[in-house]
Amino acid sequence: MLLDKGIYSACVWVPKIKTSLRAITSVRKLSSSISSHEEGKYKGKYDVIIAGGGMVGCTLACVMGKTSLLSNLRVLLLEGSPDKKFELKPEYSNRVVALSQNTKTLMNSINVWGHIEKMRLQPVRHMQVWDACSDALITFSSTDIMDDDVAYIVENDVLLHAVNTELKSPEIKNIEVVYGAKIEGYEIPTTHGSQESIVKMSNGDTYSCQLLIGADGANSAVRKAMGVQYLSWNYDQMGVVATLHLAEETENTTAWQRFLPTGPVALLPLDSKRSSLVWSTSNTHAKELLNLPQEQFVDALNDALWKQYPRSSSVDACTSWVGSWLKSVGLPDGAERQLPPSVRDIAPGSRAAFPLGFGHSTRYIAPGVALVGDAAHRVHPLAGQGVNLGFGDVKDLADLMSDCIYAGYDITHHDWLERYESSRQRHNVPTQLAVDALNRLYAFDIPPLVLIRSVGLQITNALHPIKKLIMSHAAT
Ligand SMILES: Cc1cc2nc3c(=O)[nH]c(=O)nc-3n(C[C@H](O)[C@H](O)[C@H](O)COP(=O)(O)OP(=O)(O)OC[C@H]3O[C@@H](n4cnc5c(N)ncnc54)[C@H](O)[C@@H]3O)c2cc1C
């Protein structure tokens, strides 16, 4: 594979020997394909193989089964974990996602949203985000901003079960799913043309396909086989999650997020008396939090939501002046602040922590290969965008494959894959950079920075068109 990549680079730099090298590459590729087929069990050829059946890979398979122009393609979904029996337990799972309106539309289009509604979800009708180092805040409300719910909180397991239920419906005939299918490696084409990708399984089986789609998460082996550049960094933060029992029963349709100097702490509503926690904090603090006795963890969390942090009097004076000025010109001054709920307890065993990082694959495509979801991009969870970006990839890739087939082209046609990459990167990269910038901006408690971000937040909160723009970008 490495040798093949070297040959490919040579083709780029030494055009005169391009043709002969390509011929050698093709011969080597062909012989390695034959040897792979002979050594293990060759299980067959598919039009499309989706590597990874997480939320994004499963949804893509379902969309490909339900889209008429794609339903003639033979698709194989390979997922490493076993096909677990799902049971809707009375206690909520600690892994949840905030789903956007566009994700709801996609799920509705494949009949999955109904399954989620039959199990459980909680609409978010109001959102309050505020700074622990000043009085600045921003609110989003379903009534004045979107005429619809701001988002929906759904457990990852519920979403996956809903998609898998629909995948198994008799209406879908072209999708095969193999669970417990550990992929060991890939051979992917080095040039555009008619070559296939080979997928090698850990049990020695092999498959081949025309289009390989990497939906195998942030450590994507498909991306590594593509040999593309991957820009990534760790935030040296972990997201501590838990299921929270609130002190008081309310309608509980507000999502709360407070920016602390150590990272944001967020409460996502689950039902009238429970919320889900995502507390981003330093690795050391996260480990401490995981080891605290339950009662002390609850105290630490209530402190994070309520504690007064040291304030700068000049920042307070400026934000107060900006608030009065906004009020004098008839704009919201941010005084509509609501008090966050207090936490009474956490569901036993629901505490866990996940490392947080940024990742951007400079290319989402290679000959006969495309990436979707976290395999292509990874973001900090503070804006609840991660899986929604992945579902955006699914929608655009499926639409472009349909257009490609309708126009009479092969689904691996370079121009169409390029269109997929450019449409998604135009949306995903600015979102990733904005989320990264927000995380960095709020990591400091030095007064000049607190002042800049606080006034920025106050003004953004006062201007409805800007808030609407933010919400509509987050929803797509
Ligand atoms: C604390 C936290 C909170 C979050 N909150 C939100 C939120 O509110 N909203 C939001 O939109 N996003 C959120 N996210 C991000 C979201 O969870 C991810 O974006 C999403 O899970 C990515 O889905 P995926 O299917 O692309 O990848 P994954 O979920 O990583 O799935 C990849 C799949 O590929 C399979 N796989 C990998 N390698 C192999 C192999 N070799 N062989 C076979 N199978 C393989 C894995 O088993 C897995 O099932 C959050 C993330 C964290 C950490």
Side-chain angles (χ1 to χ4, degrees), residues 2-31:
L2 272 174
L3 197 59
D4 288 349
K5 259 182 253 141
I7 290 171
Y8 182 57
S9 315
C11 290
V12 175
W13 295 107
V14 192
K16 282 184 186 165
I17 55 168
K18 192 173 179 177
T19 320
S20 50
L21 281 176
R22 197 179 280 157
I24 296 166
T25 309
S26 306
V27 170
R28 180 176 299 127
K29 191 57 59 192
L30 189 66
S31 60

PDB file of all heavy atoms in Angstrom, residues 2-31:
ATOM      1  N   LEU A   2       1.909   1.265   0.908  1.00  0.00           N
ATOM      2  CA  LEU A   2       2.799   2.413   0.980  1.00  0.00           C
ATOM      3  C   LEU A   2       3.531   2.601  -0.338  1.00  0.00           C
ATOM      4  O   LEU A   2       3.678   3.716  -0.827  1.00  0.00           O
ATOM      5  CB  LEU A   2       3.814   2.217   2.099  1.00  0.00           C
ATOM      6  CG  LEU A   2       3.361   2.698   3.470  1.00  0.00           C
ATOM      7  CD1 LEU A   2       4.391   2.307   4.515  1.00  0.00           C
ATOM      8  CD2 LEU A   2       3.133   4.198   3.463  1.00  0.00           C
ATOM      9  N   LEU A   3       3.959   1.453  -0.921  1.00  0.00           N
ATOM     10  CA  LEU A   3       4.665   1.508  -2.186  1.00  0.00           C
ATOM     11  C   LEU A   3       3.752   2.084  -3.265  1.00  0.00           C
ATOM     12  O   LEU A   3       4.141   2.928  -4.053  1.00  0.00           O
ATOM     13  CB  LEU A   3       5.102   0.080  -2.559  1.00  0.00           C
ATOM     14  CG  LEU A   3       6.185  -0.005  -3.619  1.00  0.00           C
ATOM     15  CD1 LEU A   3       7.414   0.731  -3.132  1.00  0.00           C
ATOM     16  CD2 LEU A   3       6.513  -1.463  -3.899  1.00  0.00           C
ATOM     17  N   ASP A   4       2.497   1.656  -3.225  1.00  0.00           N
ATOM     18  CA  ASP A   4       1.543   2.156  -4.210  1.00  0.00           C
ATOM     19  C   ASP A   4       1.372   3.665  -4.094  1.00  0.00           C
ATOM     20  O   ASP A   4       1.282   4.379  -5.066  1.00  0.00           O
ATOM     21  CB  ASP A   4       0.166   1.492  -4.007  1.00  0.00           C
ATOM     22  CG  ASP A   4       0.213   0.052  -4.453  1.00  0.00           C
ATOM     23  OD1 ASP A   4       1.202  -0.321  -5.091  1.00  0.00           O
ATOM     24  OD2 ASP A   4      -0.741  -0.673  -4.143  1.00  0.00           O
ATOM     25  N   LYS A   5       1.360   4.166  -2.813  1.00  0.00           N
ATOM     26  CA  LYS A   5       1.177   5.603  -2.604  1.00  0.00           C
ATOM     27  C   LYS A   5       2.372   6.360  -3.151  1.00  0.00           C
ATOM     28  O   LYS A   5       2.265   7.395  -3.764  1.00  0.00           O
ATOM     29  CB  LYS A   5       1.009   5.906  -1.112  1.00  0.00           C
ATOM     30  CG  LYS A   5      -0.418   6.128  -0.746  1.00  0.00           C
ATOM     31  CD  LYS A   5      -0.491   6.467   0.709  1.00  0.00           C
ATOM     32  CE  LYS A   5      -1.057   5.329   1.490  1.00  0.00           C
ATOM     33  NZ  LYS A   5      -0.412   5.146   2.757  1.00  0.00           N
ATOM     34  N   GLY A   6       3.569   5.755  -2.947  1.00  0.00           N
ATOM     35  CA  GLY A   6       4.781   6.356  -3.473  1.00  0.00           C
ATOM     36  C   GLY A   6       4.691   6.459  -4.971  1.00  0.00           C
ATOM     37  O   GLY A   6       5.033   7.480  -5.573  1.00  0.00           O
ATOM     38  N   ILE A   7       4.216   5.398  -5.595  1.00  0.00           N
ATOM     39  CA  ILE A   7       4.086   5.395  -7.055  1.00  0.00           C
ATOM     40  C   ILE A   7       3.099   6.471  -7.490  1.00  0.00           C
ATOM     41  O   ILE A   7       3.318   7.204  -8.433  1.00  0.00           O
ATOM     42  CB  ILE A   7       3.645   3.997  -7.536  1.00  0.00           C
ATOM     43  CG1 ILE A   7       4.804   3.026  -7.347  1.00  0.00           C
ATOM     44  CG2 ILE A   7       3.232   4.028  -8.998  1.00  0.00           C
ATOM     45  CD1 ILE A   7       4.446   1.588  -7.573  1.00  0.00           C
ATOM     46  N   TYR A   8       2.047   6.635  -6.697  1.00  0.00           N
ATOM     47  CA  TYR A   8       1.048   7.640  -7.055  1.00  0.00           C
ATOM     48  C   TYR A   8       1.652   9.047  -7.006  1.00  0.00           C
ATOM     49  O   TYR A   8       1.474   9.854  -7.907  1.00  0.00           O
ATOM     50  CB  TYR A   8      -0.142   7.541  -6.109  1.00  0.00           C
ATOM     51  CG  TYR A   8      -1.225   8.527  -6.448  1.00  0.00           C
ATOM     52  CD1 TYR A   8      -1.799   8.522  -7.720  1.00  0.00           C
ATOM     53  CD2 TYR A   8      -1.646   9.464  -5.537  1.00  0.00           C
ATOM     54  CE1 TYR A   8      -2.786   9.431  -8.041  1.00  0.00           C
ATOM     55  CE2 TYR A   8      -2.640  10.375  -5.844  1.00  0.00           C
ATOM     56  CZ  TYR A   8      -3.190  10.361  -7.099  1.00  0.00           C
ATOM     57  OH  TYR A   8      -4.151  11.259  -7.422  1.00  0.00           O
ATOM     58  N   SER A   9       2.463   9.298  -5.948  1.00  0.00           N
ATOM     59  CA  SER A   9       3.099  10.614  -5.867  1.00  0.00           C
ATOM     60  C   SER A   9       4.013  10.819  -7.060  1.00  0.00           C
ATOM     61  O   SER A   9       4.066  11.898  -7.643  1.00  0.00           O
ATOM     62  CB  SER A   9       3.932  10.752  -4.604  1.00  0.00           C
ATOM     63  OG  SER A   9       3.217  10.265  -3.539  1.00  0.00           O
ATOM     64  N   ALA A  10       4.737   9.772  -7.430  1.00  0.00           N
ATOM     65  CA  ALA A  10       5.639   9.877  -8.568  1.00  0.00           C
ATOM     66  C   ALA A  10       4.858  10.242  -9.821  1.00  0.00           C
ATOM     67  O   ALA A  10       5.305  11.052 -10.638  1.00  0.00           O
ATOM     68  CB  ALA A  10       6.373   8.563  -8.777  1.00  0.00           C
ATOM     69  N   CYS A  11       3.671   9.683  -9.957  1.00  0.00           N
ATOM     70  CA  CYS A  11       2.837   9.989 -11.128  1.00  0.00           C
ATOM     71  C   CYS A  11       2.531  11.480 -11.190  1.00  0.00           C
ATOM     72  O   CYS A  11       2.474  12.066 -12.260  1.00  0.00           O
ATOM     73  CB  CYS A  11       1.504   9.236 -11.056  1.00  0.00           C
ATOM     74  SG  CYS A  11       1.689   7.498 -11.294  1.00  0.00           S
ATOM     75  N   VAL A  12       2.341  12.088 -10.002  1.00  0.00           N
ATOM     76  CA  VAL A  12       2.010  13.501  -9.976  1.00  0.00           C
ATOM     77  C   VAL A  12       3.219  14.329 -10.398  1.00  0.00           C
ATOM     78  O   VAL A  12       3.104  15.278 -11.165  1.00  0.00           O
ATOM     79  CB  VAL A  12       1.540  13.907  -8.557  1.00  0.00           C
ATOM     80  CG1 VAL A  12       1.313  15.405  -8.467  1.00  0.00           C
ATOM     81  CG2 VAL A  12       0.283  13.140  -8.185  1.00  0.00           C
ATOM     82  N   TRP A  13       4.394  13.961  -9.908  1.00  0.00           N
ATOM     83  CA  TRP A  13       5.590  14.771 -10.141  1.00  0.00           C
ATOM     84  C   TRP A  13       6.315  14.443 -11.445  1.00  0.00           C
ATOM     85  O   TRP A  13       7.057  15.248 -11.982  1.00  0.00           O
ATOM     86  CB  TRP A  13       6.558  14.630  -8.973  1.00  0.00           C
ATOM     87  CG  TRP A  13       5.945  15.194  -7.728  1.00  0.00           C
ATOM     88  CD1 TRP A  13       5.470  14.514  -6.655  1.00  0.00           C
ATOM     89  CD2 TRP A  13       5.683  16.573  -7.469  1.00  0.00           C
ATOM     90  NE1 TRP A  13       4.940  15.374  -5.745  1.00  0.00           N
ATOM     91  CE2 TRP A  13       5.045  16.662  -6.215  1.00  0.00           C
ATOM     92  CE3 TRP A  13       5.910  17.758  -8.184  1.00  0.00           C
ATOM     93  CZ2 TRP A  13       4.657  17.854  -5.658  1.00  0.00           C
ATOM     94  CZ3 TRP A  13       5.510  18.958  -7.625  1.00  0.00           C
ATOM     95  CH2 TRP A  13       4.900  18.994  -6.381  1.00  0.00           C
ATOM     96  N   VAL A  14       6.181  13.242 -11.962  1.00  0.00           N
ATOM     97  CA  VAL A  14       6.913  12.885 -13.191  1.00  0.00           C
ATOM     98  C   VAL A  14       5.907  12.417 -14.228  1.00  0.00           C
ATOM     99  O   VAL A  14       5.711  11.224 -14.457  1.00  0.00           O
ATOM    100  CB  VAL A  14       7.949  11.780 -12.899  1.00  0.00           C
ATOM    101  CG1 VAL A  14       8.904  11.622 -14.064  1.00  0.00           C
ATOM    102  CG2 VAL A  14       8.719  12.058 -11.614  1.00  0.00           C
ATOM    103  N   PRO A  15       5.230  13.366 -14.872  1.00  0.00           N
ATOM    104  CA  PRO A  15       4.149  12.987 -15.778  1.00  0.00           C
ATOM    105  C   PRO A  15       4.578  12.058 -16.907  1.00  0.00           C
ATOM    106  O   PRO A  15       3.795  11.240 -17.366  1.00  0.00           O
ATOM    107  CB  PRO A  15       3.657  14.326 -16.332  1.00  0.00           C
ATOM    108  CG  PRO A  15       4.283  15.387 -15.512  1.00  0.00           C
ATOM    109  CD  PRO A  15       5.436  14.804 -14.793  1.00  0.00           C
ATOM    110  N   LYS A  16       5.881  12.168 -17.342  1.00  0.00           N
ATOM    111  CA  LYS A  16       6.293  11.385 -18.496  1.00  0.00           C
ATOM    112  C   LYS A  16       6.225   9.886 -18.233  1.00  0.00           C
ATOM    113  O   LYS A  16       5.989   9.096 -19.127  1.00  0.00           O
ATOM    114  CB  LYS A  16       7.720  11.762 -18.912  1.00  0.00           C
ATOM    115  CG  LYS A  16       7.763  13.058 -19.682  1.00  0.00           C
ATOM    116  CD  LYS A  16       9.157  13.332 -20.154  1.00  0.00           C
ATOM    117  CE  LYS A  16       9.175  14.715 -20.792  1.00  0.00           C
ATOM    118  NZ  LYS A  16      10.523  15.191 -20.953  1.00  0.00           N
ATOM    119  N   ILE A  17       6.509   9.472 -16.989  1.00  0.00           N
ATOM    120  CA  ILE A  17       6.488   8.031 -16.723  1.00  0.00           C
ATOM    121  C   ILE A  17       5.147   7.584 -16.107  1.00  0.00           C
ATOM    122  O   ILE A  17       4.986   6.465 -15.660  1.00  0.00           O
ATOM    123  CB  ILE A  17       7.655   7.590 -15.796  1.00  0.00           C
ATOM    124  CG1 ILE A  17       7.644   8.401 -14.500  1.00  0.00           C
ATOM    125  CG2 ILE A  17       8.983   7.683 -16.494  1.00  0.00           C
ATOM    126  CD1 ILE A  17       8.572   7.835 -13.431  1.00  0.00           C
ATOM    127  N   LYS A  18       4.172   8.532 -16.160  1.00  0.00           N
ATOM    128  CA  LYS A  18       2.885   8.287 -15.527  1.00  0.00           C
ATOM    129  C   LYS A  18       2.211   7.007 -16.044  1.00  0.00           C
ATOM    130  O   LYS A  18       1.799   6.158 -15.269  1.00  0.00           O
ATOM    131  CB  LYS A  18       1.994   9.501 -15.821  1.00  0.00           C
ATOM    132  CG  LYS A  18       0.749   9.571 -15.029  1.00  0.00           C
ATOM    133  CD  LYS A  18       0.102  10.910 -15.324  1.00  0.00           C
ATOM    134  CE  LYS A  18      -1.189  11.050 -14.577  1.00  0.00           C
ATOM    135  NZ  LYS A  18      -1.789  12.343 -14.779  1.00  0.00           N
ATOM    136  N   THR A  19       2.155   6.888 -17.369  1.00  0.00           N
ATOM    137  CA  THR A  19       1.401   5.784 -17.950  1.00  0.00           C
ATOM    138  C   THR A  19       1.999   4.434 -17.567  1.00  0.00           C
ATOM    139  O   THR A  19       1.287   3.526 -17.141  1.00  0.00           O
ATOM    140  CB  THR A  19       1.376   5.919 -19.491  1.00  0.00           C
ATOM    141  OG1 THR A  19       1.203   7.272 -19.791  1.00  0.00           O
ATOM    142  CG2 THR A  19       0.289   5.073 -20.099  1.00  0.00           C
ATOM    143  N   SER A  20       3.349   4.320 -17.670  1.00  0.00           N
ATOM    144  CA  SER A  20       3.954   3.022 -17.381  1.00  0.00           C
ATOM    145  C   SER A  20       3.807   2.669 -15.903  1.00  0.00           C
ATOM    146  O   SER A  20       3.537   1.533 -15.553  1.00  0.00           O
ATOM    147  CB  SER A  20       5.415   3.004 -17.798  1.00  0.00           C
ATOM    148  OG  SER A  20       6.061   4.130 -17.262  1.00  0.00           O
ATOM    149  N   LEU A  21       3.983   3.683 -15.016  1.00  0.00           N
ATOM    150  CA  LEU A  21       3.843   3.405 -13.579  1.00  0.00           C
ATOM    151  C   LEU A  21       2.427   2.955 -13.236  1.00  0.00           C
ATOM    152  O   LEU A  21       2.212   2.068 -12.439  1.00  0.00           O
ATOM    153  CB  LEU A  21       4.179   4.654 -12.762  1.00  0.00           C
ATOM    154  CG  LEU A  21       5.675   4.921 -12.605  1.00  0.00           C
ATOM    155  CD1 LEU A  21       5.889   6.240 -11.872  1.00  0.00           C
ATOM    156  CD2 LEU A  21       6.340   3.797 -11.831  1.00  0.00           C
ATOM    157  N   ARG A  22       1.472   3.617 -13.883  1.00  0.00           N
ATOM    158  CA  ARG A  22       0.080   3.247 -13.613  1.00  0.00           C
ATOM    159  C   ARG A  22      -0.155   1.781 -13.984  1.00  0.00           C
ATOM    160  O   ARG A  22      -0.841   1.050 -13.294  1.00  0.00           O
ATOM    161  CB  ARG A  22      -0.860   4.167 -14.394  1.00  0.00           C
ATOM    162  CG  ARG A  22      -2.257   4.132 -13.862  1.00  0.00           C
ATOM    163  CD  ARG A  22      -3.165   5.058 -14.611  1.00  0.00           C
ATOM    164  NE  ARG A  22      -3.043   6.429 -14.208  1.00  0.00           N
ATOM    165  CZ  ARG A  22      -3.380   7.462 -14.966  1.00  0.00           C
ATOM    166  NH1 ARG A  22      -3.821   7.275 -16.174  1.00  0.00           N
ATOM    167  NH2 ARG A  22      -3.265   8.689 -14.527  1.00  0.00           N
ATOM    168  N   ALA A  23       0.456   1.386 -15.109  1.00  0.00           N
ATOM    169  CA  ALA A  23       0.293   0.001 -15.548  1.00  0.00           C
ATOM    170  C   ALA A  23       0.857  -0.957 -14.499  1.00  0.00           C
ATOM    171  O   ALA A  23       0.221  -1.939 -14.130  1.00  0.00           O
ATOM    172  CB  ALA A  23       0.994  -0.200 -16.881  1.00  0.00           C
ATOM    173  N   ILE A  24       2.083  -0.607 -13.947  1.00  0.00           N
ATOM    174  CA  ILE A  24       2.692  -1.477 -12.936  1.00  0.00           C
ATOM    175  C   ILE A  24       1.789  -1.546 -11.715  1.00  0.00           C
ATOM    176  O   ILE A  24       1.519  -2.602 -11.159  1.00  0.00           O
ATOM    177  CB  ILE A  24       4.089  -0.934 -12.525  1.00  0.00           C
ATOM    178  CG1 ILE A  24       5.022  -0.984 -13.722  1.00  0.00           C
ATOM    179  CG2 ILE A  24       4.674  -1.718 -11.358  1.00  0.00           C
ATOM    180  CD1 ILE A  24       6.294  -0.171 -13.532  1.00  0.00           C
ATOM    181  N   THR A  25       1.275  -0.340 -11.292  1.00  0.00           N
ATOM    182  CA  THR A  25       0.400  -0.278 -10.119  1.00  0.00           C
ATOM    183  C   THR A  25      -0.810  -1.169 -10.300  1.00  0.00           C
ATOM    184  O   THR A  25      -1.200  -1.914  -9.409  1.00  0.00           O
ATOM    185  CB  THR A  25      -0.076   1.183  -9.905  1.00  0.00           C
ATOM    186  OG1 THR A  25       1.052   2.006  -9.917  1.00  0.00           O
ATOM    187  CG2 THR A  25      -0.818   1.329  -8.599  1.00  0.00           C
ATOM    188  N   SER A  26      -1.395  -1.091 -11.502  1.00  0.00           N
ATOM    189  CA  SER A  26      -2.603  -1.879 -11.751  1.00  0.00           C
ATOM    190  C   SER A  26      -2.308  -3.361 -11.648  1.00  0.00           C
ATOM    191  O   SER A  26      -3.073  -4.113 -11.058  1.00  0.00           O
ATOM    192  CB  SER A  26      -3.160  -1.589 -13.135  1.00  0.00           C
ATOM    193  OG  SER A  26      -3.350  -0.234 -13.261  1.00  0.00           O
ATOM    194  N   VAL A  27      -1.144  -3.773 -12.200  1.00  0.00           N
ATOM    195  CA  VAL A  27      -0.797  -5.191 -12.157  1.00  0.00           C
ATOM    196  C   VAL A  27      -0.631  -5.633 -10.704  1.00  0.00           C
ATOM    197  O   VAL A  27      -1.185  -6.629 -10.267  1.00  0.00           O
ATOM    198  CB  VAL A  27       0.493  -5.461 -12.970  1.00  0.00           C
ATOM    199  CG1 VAL A  27       0.991  -6.869 -12.731  1.00  0.00           C
ATOM    200  CG2 VAL A  27       0.228  -5.232 -14.443  1.00  0.00           C
ATOM    201  N   ARG A  28       0.127  -4.779  -9.900  1.00  0.00           N
ATOM    202  CA  ARG A  28       0.357  -5.150  -8.507  1.00  0.00           C
ATOM    203  C   ARG A  28      -0.975  -5.245  -7.759  1.00  0.00           C
ATOM    204  O   ARG A  28      -1.232  -6.141  -7.005  1.00  0.00           O
ATOM    205  CB  ARG A  28       1.254  -4.115  -7.846  1.00  0.00           C
ATOM    206  CG  ARG A  28       1.506  -4.469  -6.392  1.00  0.00           C
ATOM    207  CD  ARG A  28       2.457  -3.534  -5.732  1.00  0.00           C
ATOM    208  NE  ARG A  28       3.756  -3.546  -6.378  1.00  0.00           N
ATOM    209  CZ  ARG A  28       4.365  -2.449  -6.810  1.00  0.00           C
ATOM    210  NH1 ARG A  28       3.793  -1.300  -6.645  1.00  0.00           N
ATOM    211  NH2 ARG A  28       5.525  -2.522  -7.395  1.00  0.00           N
ATOM    212  N   LYS A  29      -1.851  -4.247  -8.023  1.00  0.00           N
ATOM    213  CA  LYS A  29      -3.150  -4.220  -7.355  1.00  0.00           C
ATOM    214  C   LYS A  29      -3.951  -5.473  -7.692  1.00  0.00           C
ATOM    215  O   LYS A  29      -4.516  -6.125  -6.840  1.00  0.00           O
ATOM    216  CB  LYS A  29      -3.883  -2.955  -7.828  1.00  0.00           C
ATOM    217  CG  LYS A  29      -5.107  -2.601  -7.105  1.00  0.00           C
ATOM    218  CD  LYS A  29      -4.943  -2.414  -5.663  1.00  0.00           C
ATOM    219  CE  LYS A  29      -3.969  -1.350  -5.248  1.00  0.00           C
ATOM    220  NZ  LYS A  29      -3.685  -1.445  -3.832  1.00  0.00           N
ATOM    221  N   LEU A  30      -3.915  -5.831  -9.001  1.00  0.00           N
ATOM    222  CA  LEU A  30      -4.687  -6.983  -9.443  1.00  0.00           C
ATOM    223  C   LEU A  30      -4.170  -8.257  -8.774  1.00  0.00           C
ATOM    224  O   LEU A  30      -4.939  -9.047  -8.228  1.00  0.00           O
ATOM    225  CB  LEU A  30      -4.584  -7.094 -10.975  1.00  0.00           C
ATOM    226  CG  LEU A  30      -5.507  -8.110 -11.613  1.00  0.00           C
ATOM    227  CD1 LEU A  30      -6.940  -7.667 -11.416  1.00  0.00           C
ATOM    228  CD2 LEU A  30      -5.200  -8.260 -13.097  1.00  0.00           C
ATOM    229  N   SER A  31      -2.812  -8.408  -8.747  1.00  0.00           N
ATOM    230  CA  SER A  31      -2.288  -9.641  -8.169  1.00  0.00           C
ATOM    231  C   SER A  31      -2.567  -9.695  -6.679  1.00  0.00           C
ATOM    232  O   SER A  31      -2.900 -10.743  -6.148  1.00  0.00           O
ATOM    233  CB  SER A  31      -0.799  -9.777  -8.452  1.00  0.00           C
ATOM    234  OG  SER A  31      -0.139  -8.673  -7.889  1.00  0.00           O
TER     235      SER A  31
END
